[in-house]
Amino acid sequence: MFNIGGRVDTSGVCRPVPRAARVLVVLAMLCTAPALVWAAASGGTFLDGPLMLGSLVTPVPLLARSADNFRAACRVTGWGVLALSAVGFLFGLFVLAPVGIVLLAAASRSRPGSRRLPLLVGTLVPVVTLGLAGWAFGPLLIGPYFREPDAFLATVREGSSLLGPSLPAELLVDGSGLGHGATSVSVGQTGGVPGGTLTVVFAPRTPAADLAVLRQRIAGLPGVSDVRLCNPPAHNCR
């Protein structure tokens, strides 16, 4: 800091990053939640890499200590994420667009004498984004826990004939062997744990009397135990 002609020269002083600008970067990080959910729900597609990359670069501006470096980092990451979302818009990368918008708002908020508009935009975008994401993904994530059970899930002990190459007549894939409302039967392994699982899906509005008989028939199969009323694969069990 120098006194030149009665004026104070602050060109060599590093201006700290405004707290509100850092808060906006944190809000941008929250905006990556829909992208991460999208990546998890896509089941291992080519979108995983770009979605994860856009999410990982979002907190980079927080590493900057001066307002100038912070603003530059926000602009680079913000425009980069927006460009990525535009290139892959038709493939679902549009979920990254709010992240870029909030980062650019954080860059504007870190400028000297910045007005409240960047803070307003940077706050409103995450609220709308998370609200829409909850509306879109909520039923998929928590819906099975509130939906009425529509299948029986049972444990099949190791050595049971149900895990052999040939299945008994009761285990027809279309459920006709078991009857009493059964529409689908499948036997699967438990992933490294001895034994397996038996899933029997039944038709909606199957009478309680038929469900009771169906449950008894499943429990009577060789090596079957712990028959539960569930939503496949294992939600809302009773």
Side-chain angles (χ1 to χ4, degrees):
M1 182 181 299
F2 302 96
N3 191 331
I4 303 178
R7 294 178 300 175
V8 178
D9 180 15
T10 59
S11 58
V13 179
C14 292
R15 192 170 61 88
V17 180
R19 181 175 299 179
R22 290 190 178 275
V23 170
L24 289 180
V25 176
V26 174
L27 293 179
M29 294 170 60
L30 292 178
C31 288
T32 64
L36 296 177
V37 173
W38 186 283
S42 62
T45 65
F46 69 96
L47 294 176
D48 291 357
L51 289 173
M52 293 299 296
L53 176 62
S55 301
L56 290 176
V57 301
T58 302
V60 168
L62 293 177
L63 300 177
R65 294 187 177 183
S66 69
D68 292 339
N69 292 338
F70 175 88
R71 184 164 57 256
C74 285
R75 286 175 176 174
V76 171
T77 54
W79 283 116
V81 170
L82 279 179
L84 184 63
S85 66
V87 170
F89 183 86
L90 297 179
F91 300 100
L93 294 183
F94 59 85
V95 296
L96 291 174
V99 179
I101 294 174
V102 178
L103 286 174
L104 293 179
S108 296
R109 190 66 181 85
S110 65
R111 296 176 58 184
S114 175
R115 298 183 179 180
R116 294 183 179 180
L117 181 60
L119 183 60
L120 178 62
V121 172
T123 303
L124 184 60
V125 169
V127 171
V128 174
T129 300
L130 295 178
L132 292 176
W135 174 77
F137 295 119
L140 298 177
L141 298 177
I142 66 175
Y145 293 95
F146 296 94
R147 192 176 69 234
E148 284 297 317
D150 56 5
F152 284 109
L153 185 69
T155 301
V156 182
R157 292 189 293 271
E158 185 180 14
S160 170
S161 60
L162 302 184
L163 301 176
S166 59
L167 299 176
E170 294 89 341
L171 294 188
L172 296 177
V173 175
D174 61 359
S176 59
L178 288 171
H180 299 281
T183 59
S184 173
V185 177
S186 61
V187 179
Q189 301 296 324
T190 55
V193 180
T197 57
L198 171 65
T199 303
V200 179
V201 181
F202 52 82
R205 300 185 180 88
T206 300
D210 283 332
L211 291 181
V213 175
L214 180 59
R215 188 169 198 160
Q216 291 177 354
R217 296 200 64 180
I218 296 172
L221 294 172
V224 170
S225 62
D226 190 23
V227 182
R228 295 165 290 164
L229 193 58
C230 297
N231 297 128
H235 298 311
N236 197 18
C237 294
R238 299 178 185 175

